[in-house]
Amino acid sequence: MDDLKKQTTKDGSLSLYSSNYEECFHDTEGALKESINKYLLPAQLDRFSNSKKIVVLDVCMGLGYNTGSILEELLKRNHKIEWHGLEIDQRPLNIGLNEKTFQKLWSPKVLRFFDCLKKSERWIEGLNKGTIHWGDARQKISEIQDSLMFDLILLDPFSPQKCPELLSEQFISLLSSRLSLNGRLITYSSAASIRASLKKAGLKIYSIIPSTDKQNKWSLGTVAMKQQLEQQFISKNCQIKNLSDRELEHLNTRSSIPYRDPTGRGNSKEIILSREIEQSKSQLINTSSWRKKWNAAQ
């Protein structure tokens, strides 16, 4: 059984460490800070008119920081919201709601949202509604009506090396097909395999600009969408930019070979092994050569 250990991150917000995945849920700099920098700011919520209903899908909700940060803003602006969450493990949310430090981060409305999901899997407030679908996201997404298109998809599983099944070419293609015309799929991952899968699904991809205290990092993640981004939204308050030459070259290396899960039921070991075999036979540039070139250029 997966053991979850509580951790306090540098901004004082609660996070967890999974012994099963051997990964923390968040950056040590701060769970809340990470959600704001990697999900809330790149969503650029100002672009939504107040009259529009905003439909959100949170894949791997975990403790709920990504959704919580976005809901705080949408509720302040009186947006009409429809929310869906896909999450296999009920414990992170339960742990969070039992911790005073976690409770203090949220307004009463957002706390009530979390509480409703915990107690009844449903949230209704005025015209707003939400549903959490507990279980394997690959199967549970079918519980959401096909005609519903998402304005925001928050994709936040463990890293591709630990949870490739939710970052596979097939699952990314499925999520991409559920994106509204002006919608955005946002993920912390800047991995070439994920970006190549997003491109193959027909999406335009952009890089999330690191905050000033993260200048050693070349990207904080990826924003993908169906339409070309209008120039006014690029680099707006230093949030999103076009891919750099370095990032574009990364997409021509062996790292860009996707994780494949054709049955939608593969396990992580099978998916990783088949990708490693494919990489070993590939004629693409070795990723270490790309890395050496760009490290020397810095």
Side-chain angles (χ1 to χ4, degrees):
M1 185 64 180
D2 189 8
D3 190 21
L4 298 176
K5 292 188 175 67
K6 289 185 276 190
Q7 295 188 332
T8 302
T9 56
K10 284 184 187 170
D11 69 356
S13 55
L14 172 78
S15 186
L16 298 170
Y17 174 82
S18 163
S19 60
N20 189 28
Y21 287 97
E22 299 178 318
E23 282 187 352
C24 294
F25 277 49
H26 301 96
D27 192 314
T28 54
E29 291 299 310
L32 181 62
K33 187 177 180 182
E34 183 175 18
S35 289
I36 290 167
N37 288 336
K38 295 183 181 177
Y39 290 91
L40 173 61
L41 294 178
Q44 295 180 325
L45 297 178
D46 288 345
R47 65 202 170 85
F48 293 112
S49 72
N50 280 34
S51 59
K52 184 184 184 301
K53 177 172 87 165
I54 297 178
V55 188
V56 181
L57 176 66
D58 189 345
V59 184
C60 301
M61 180 189 175
L63 280 147
Y65 281 100
N66 299 336
T67 277
S69 302
I70 282 170
L71 281 190
E72 288 288 7
E73 287 301 316
L74 293 179
L75 289 167
K76 267 184 219 163
R77 301 165 191 223
N78 293 316
H79 279 292
K80 186 180 172 189
I81 303 157
E82 180 168 352
W83 179 92
H84 290 269
L86 299 169
E87 175 55 62
I88 202 163
D89 192 349
Q90 299 185 24
R91 293 174 301 158
L93 183 60
N94 294 343
I95 291 167
L97 288 172
N98 284 326
E99 293 291 322
K100 286 273 192 290
T101 52
F102 182 82
Q103 292 171 21
K104 282 179 188 169
L105 294 173
W106 312 108
S107 66
K109 280 187 176 181
V110 170
L111 263 182
R112 185 179 170 278
F113 164 82
F114 286 140
D115 211 42
C116 287
L117 296 188
K118 178 187 170 182
K119 287 176 179 166
S120 66
E121 303 176 7
R122 297 273 190 286
W123 166 70
I124 295 175
E125 183 179 293
L127 296 171
N128 301 325
K129 60 181 180 179
T131 306
I132 183 85
H133 307 265
W134 299 115
D136 188 323
R138 294 172 295 178
Q139 279 80 61
K140 288 291 175 176
I141 193 169
S142 66
E143 292 181 0
I144 306 168
Q145 67 201 66
D146 285 343
S147 59
L148 191 67
M149 294 291 158
F150 296 101
D151 301 304
L152 287 174
I153 297 177
L154 315 173
L155 180 58
D156 195 13
F158 286 103
S159 69
Q161 300 83 4
K162 302 286 184 178
C163 189
E165 54 269 41
L166 296 187
L167 291 163
S168 72
E169 180 179 80
Q170 287 78 10
F171 190 62
I172 284 172
S173 175
L174 176 60
L175 292 177
S176 302
S177 71
R178 302 295 300 269
L179 206 54
S180 68
L181 190 59
N182 293 306
R184 291 185 182 182
L185 185 154
I186 305 171
T187 179
Y188 69 88
S189 181
S190 54
S193 55
I194 312 311
R195 287 179 166 179
S197 293
L198 289 163
K199 279 190 80 173
K200 190 173 179 189
L203 301 184
K204 315 280 189 269
I205 57 174
Y206 299 88
S207 191
I208 300 172
I209 299 173
S211 51
T212 45
D213 56 346
K214 289 268 185 194
Q215 284 308 313
N216 59 326
K217 289 197 76 162
W218 45 282
S219 176
L220 277 188
T222 307
V223 179
M225 58 197 80
K226 289 186 171 176
Q227 295 188 314
Q228 200 81 34
L229 191 60
E230 290 174 44
Q231 200 57 40
Q232 72 200 67
F233 293 116
I234 296 178
S235 298
K236 188 182 180 188
N237 300 328
C238 297
Q239 290 158 3
I240 304 172
K241 65 180 178 69
N242 289 313
L243 265 56
S244 63
D245 290 344
R246 173 184 183 162
E247 291 171 292
L248 290 168
E249 277 189 31
H250 195 206
L251 295 175
N252 293 319
T253 69
R254 287 182 198 175
S255 286
S256 69
I257 290 172
Y259 294 90
R260 302 189 198 277
D261 179 25
T263 65
R265 294 180 182 272
N267 67 47
S268 54
K269 283 183 179 166
E270 293 166 351
I271 295 167
I272 287 166
L273 182 61
S274 68
R275 180 173 180 260
E276 284 172 353
I277 292 167
E278 192 176 344
Q279 283 180 310
S280 70
K281 296 173 180 174
S282 172
Q283 300 302 307
L284 290 168
I285 303 163
N286 197 308
T287 310
S288 58
S289 306
W290 165 83
R291 198 173 283 116
K292 273 180 198 159
K293 172 186 169 178
W294 287 100
N295 284 347
Q298 283 179 334

